[in-house]
Amino acid sequence: MTQIKKIGLFTSGGDAPGMNAAIRAVVRSAQYYNIEVIGIRRGYEGMINGEFIPMDVKSVANIIQRGGTILKTARSEQFRTPEGRRLAYDQLKRNEIDGLVAIGGDGTFTGARIFGNEFDVPVVGLPGTIDNDLYGTDFTIGYDTAINTVIDAVDKIRDTAESHDRVFIVEVMGRDCGLIALRTGIASGAEAIMIPETKRDLDALMDKLENGRKDKSSKIVIVAEGEEAGNAFEIGHQVKEKFPNYDTRVSILGHIQRGGKPTCMDRVLASRIGVAAVEALRDGHRNEMIGIVHNEISYTPFEHACKHNVEINANFLKIVEILSI
Amino acid sequence: MTQIKKIGLFTSGGDAPGMNAAIRAVVRSAQYYNIEVIGIRRGYEGMINGEFIPMDVKSVANIIQRGGTILKTARSEQFRTPEGRRLAYDQLKRNEIDGLVAIGGDGTFTGARIFGNEFDVPVVGLPGTIDNDLYGTDFTIGYDTAINTVIDAVDKIRDTAESHDRVFIVEVMGRDCGLIALRTGIASGAEAIMIPETKRDLDALMDKLENGRKDKSSKIVIVAEGEEAGNAFEIGHQVKEKFPNYDTRVSILGHIQRGGKPTCMDRVLASRIGVAAVEALRDGHRNEMIGIVHNEISYTPFEHACKHNVEINANFLKIVEILSI
Amino acid sequence: MTQIKKIGLFTSGGDAPGMNAAIRAVVRSAQYYNIEVIGIRRGYEGMINGEFIPMDVKSVANIIQRGGTILKTARSEQFRTPEGRRLAYDQLKRNEIDGLVAIGGDGTFTGARIFGNEFDVPVVGLPGTIDNDLYGTDFTIGYDTAINTVIDAVDKIRDTAESHDRVFIVEVMGRDCGLIALRTGIASGAEAIMIPETKRDLDALMDKLENGRKDKSSKIVIVAEGEEAGNAFEIGHQVKEKFPNYDTRVSILGHIQRGGKPTCMDRVLASRIGVAAVEALRDGHRNEMIGIVHNEISYTPFEHACKHNVEINANFLKIVEILSI
Amino acid sequence: MTQIKKIGLFTSGGDAPGMNAAIRAVVRSAQYYNIEVIGIRRGYEGMINGEFIPMDVKSVANIIQRGGTILKTARSEQFRTPEGRRLAYDQLKRNEIDGLVAIGGDGTFTGARIFGNEFDVPVVGLPGTIDNDLYGTDFTIGYDTAINTVIDAVDKIRDTAESHDRVFIVEVMGRDCGLIALRTGIASGAEAIMIPETKRDLDALMDKLENGRKDKSSKIVIVAEGEEAGNAFEIGHQVKEKFPNYDTRVSILGHIQRGGKPTCMDRVLASRIGVAAVEALRDGHRNEMIGIVHNEISYTPFEHACKHNVEINANFLKIVEILSI
């Protein structure tokens, strides 16, 4: 194990609130430990193209509260090829970078795992995605902010739904994962939640709408975008067909869920694991995602951190069932 | 002119933030002037069906900050017929209601005008719509809140747009009216705005995108939903075709624009004209919308308050042109 | 163990955002399990005075997003006496209440413990306090909202501090407990944090201010209100004396920290443990606080749930040290 | 009249949200008109010290939504002296600056007026202050944001006040001017407002509290900080003495009122008058403040723009009287 002197830092995949707080934590803790930091813009694509910028404590002043990522992010087709990764490696060597911190999600870590196996560059990852769909951390950076953005939006929709006695089908993000839908469904007092994991069929929803309390003036259904029963428009269409007397509307929350100031918890999470990432590299960790499990720093090999290992807490679904009466 | 002893109060058309503040102001100022208030639920529909509830100062406690309308709102087909309006009139007489305050928009005032001409019930109106598309008031109740909701959303979208170097086509409300698009376009620093009033063609937009500053990493286009060039999806489609190398995304903000806590200005506006409405009825006004023009209470006959009289300030469009360089 | 048929529900002590979400969860889950709920207004004081109101699913409609507590809260001197508690017990018996759910903090549970030992009424508690100072739950209801309110405020103060190159001493709540100061200090990028638990002396602060980076244009110090070194005004006074050339200001955030819409996490926490409280009473639990530890429902005897058992994670203090360079 | 080729731009006095939007508008419209812009940091102090930075469209990218001022602000004792102003003038000449745009309040314009009379540099001003205390514009930049910050805070305080049946004395900013107190008092549903302009005595407040509706569970009194009857603590003290059975609390909102993202209206105002300022300099205006009166650009000589010419709309006070019953 050789001592790390200069690390490369980048964000990759979809942006998430709190990524800047993580960038700040990595840069400042590296400086604390006398390690240089090179910011790599646009993820793996920028690594291949050599978009490198030296960073110090001032580079990250006043960014802890900003959404998005100052290092920008991109998807890279080239990095999927051995030739692309070789180019990336050459750039790192040319710049004497001897360690990497990758902030991103499942796809980011897949790339990092392959790269880390091919070349002698230690890589550690920080979970940055609003979907919270990674194994090895209780929460990912950005999830807490995203679910608060969703409930702010649904609270607003509820105002209109109540005023007009409407049924609203609200689609939230989470391509293969219902964790955004689940917590926001509980927190917004939704009448029903449809998520990919439970393959809940439309009949159950119709039954819920039909046999629920008659005196309720509005009903909100939260749908995860990846739901196999169909997207929100399709579900809305079927609800309208079955209940033509309902005033049914569809709302796709869309990209507002990715932006905004990070919440306190996202900033604290990003700060803690940002520091831990630098310490992990110093201590010889490699090919691991740094997360927090039960309030303690945890280290999960990239091959286990992938999304299909995340389970839905069945208790949450029962909570929705009980509270939506 | 007979003295008003009991007024009926209702909200109609789309809900708007600040309607509850207006309801509170009408109820409290009526009580101040020793006038009874009957709340009519669900607008004209509830008037026909006799959904009447007596209101006092306590009925409106702690609602000034709540979005939506506690009196609910609905559209009424029946009220469009002479028979429906006769039924409504009978209900009013039966309950000894001798004046009406209608909170709503263009459609609401059209109904009020016809009703006020047919029957001997004085009606005054309060402009409550997020579209700001009424003649006779500088601002309508709900507009200020809606434009702040829009810029909060676009600020979030900008975070993502900046992180990914994207073009975003964002559709905001305003069916025949671009006033939401206009102010939010300026306030969100949009690169271009497309509104119905200027029939701005897509070529101009393409030209703007093509010839704008090359070093800009993100571009936001704000589109009013009623824009004749096509809705946001159509525009997004055409931008993608012409500029396949742009990462172009579409976001329809939708119903979140109607809800939420009213802003300070919406609450103050609603409070001022709510009081003025009661005073107007006492003073013998009828068939008029109460608004504020140049910081003074103004009275506009319903037939003039309609939306096609609203003009777009050309100066605003120039501001966008200048500032989006 | 007899079957619970009717429970009394109350909030006590300082109000916290999410208490209404907890009230809703208790009422709805009780109804789900065919248990009646009596709301007791104004905590123990209302119990003694018989301020009882029957609650059903409609009583708690549309409150999940509201701050404060619809059951109101109060402190009761009378309940500290055996006579007062006897009166309370008599009221419960008269109303056939055979179980209690108490939402509050340390003082509330002390009262509940004594009462539960004196009389044959099972009591379970829900942790509702912004201070997060209870043993037996990772988080208390209200804490997450309060820390987000604090960072919103400090973000605003930072705008001014940056514009004027100022030092700001910001006092946050937390009488004997620095947990609000600790997380918000990290999340707001504070230069220093002063909390009761570490008895950090003023000399260390002065040293930090004196020897920190010279090019920083603003400095924020977060102080917990109970800090023994003196309150924020006292600290501000001493900083001004030692560094007369600094533009030093003091801001006491005060009561805004208690109010506002609960965050998603606070609503989910309140919903989960609200349901669990009713299930706990059904299952024979008594004299226990219901919390969540490591994402699982936990049951802690009231005598252990008190605040002096909460420890500060030393790692958090190191994070501040590292990131404030 | 010679053509303006290079303007100096600065912010001075207390910072206000929207100053950055104004800076952006000045820089971009100057570029649009082929005028160079030099940013002057720290107001008059920086002008004397030559803290000059060239600005272009990229210097102001992504700042429209940020609170504070990127040019920073300061108070300058030196500029009050003829020698100081001479030094400032020399710096301007050395840098070939032939026009100035000053963003600030009363004090800023006093300085600008004297300087503009002494030297041949045309100066125009933009009203940037949260107090809205300038004659010659309906609103100042920052006022709309500040009043929304206040009502957010008071809404939170109301949650607690309602839960505990408390009287809250809330102090808002506005040293000699009650305009913040006035609109926020109406918008927050305050029971009473105390502002400097009306010299409302404490007896009237006591009478209001004593004889108001008995069934109100909470009472909010909004006090402008400059109120002659005493500050909020003094008023709170007297209320406690007279009504020992009330649970009376005091909250000083303080510096949070200056920061935060500007509202839509503040951004639009700043954008419009920022453009107008550059156009005014081009058109030969000098020694004038640029504002908006009745939705049109207005030009007011600095000597008239001062604060003692602002009048309180008596109608607003009556609104509070009526609605607080």
Side-chain angles (χ1 to χ4, degrees), chain C residues 42 72-73 162-163 165 260, chain D residues 42 72-73 159 162-163 165:
Chain C
R42 276 174 250 276
K72 293 177 182 286
T73 177
E162 281 284 310
S163 299
D165 298 344
Chain D
R42 277 174 250 275
K72 293 180 181 283
T73 178
D159 286 341
E162 281 284 310
S163 299
D165 298 345

Side-chain angles (χ1 to χ4, degrees), chain A residues 119-257:
Chain A
F119 301 101
D120 62 337
V121 181
V123 193
V124 296
L126 293 178
T129 162
I130 63 167
D131 291 339
N132 202 29
D133 59 353
L134 295 170
Y135 182 83
T137 191
D138 288 341
F139 297 109
T140 55
I141 298 168
Y143 175 67
D144 189 54
T145 305
I147 57 179
N148 278 296
T149 300
V150 169
I151 66 164
D152 276 356
V154 180
D155 284 351
K156 289 190 171 77
I157 288 172
R158 179 75 79 177
D159 285 341
T160 289
E162 281 284 308
S163 299
H164 290 270
D165 297 345
R166 280 179 181 156
V167 174
F168 261 92
I169 317 290
V170 181
E171 186 174 300
V172 301
M173 282 191 166
R175 203 159 299 277
D176 320 295
C177 169
L179 281 172
I180 292 179
L182 205 55
R183 274 205 176 75
T184 61
I186 292 173
S188 61
E191 273 65 31
I193 294 176
M194 300 188 79
I195 57 173
E197 288 83 350
T198 61
K199 301 184 174 52
R200 180 172 180 167
D201 59 306
L202 270 167
D203 290 343
L205 174 66
M206 298 301 178
D207 186 61
K208 176 94 188 167
L209 292 176
E210 198 160 13
N211 299 316
R213 201 146 53 80
K214 296 301 179 232
D215 55 354
K216 269 200 181 175
S217 65
S218 71
K219 293 186 167 75
I220 305 274
V221 180
I222 303 287
V223 181
E225 63 181 350
E227 164 62 33
E228 77 168 10
N231 63 21
F233 281 119
E234 174 58 23
I235 294 171
H237 180 70
Q238 297 200 31
V239 169
K240 278 178 204 171
E241 270 204 347
K242 190 163 171 79
F243 304 107
N245 60 322
Y246 286 7
D247 186 2
T248 304
R249 303 293 169 104
V250 172
S251 182
I252 313 289
L253 295 188
H255 285 87
I256 57 167
Q257 294 167 83

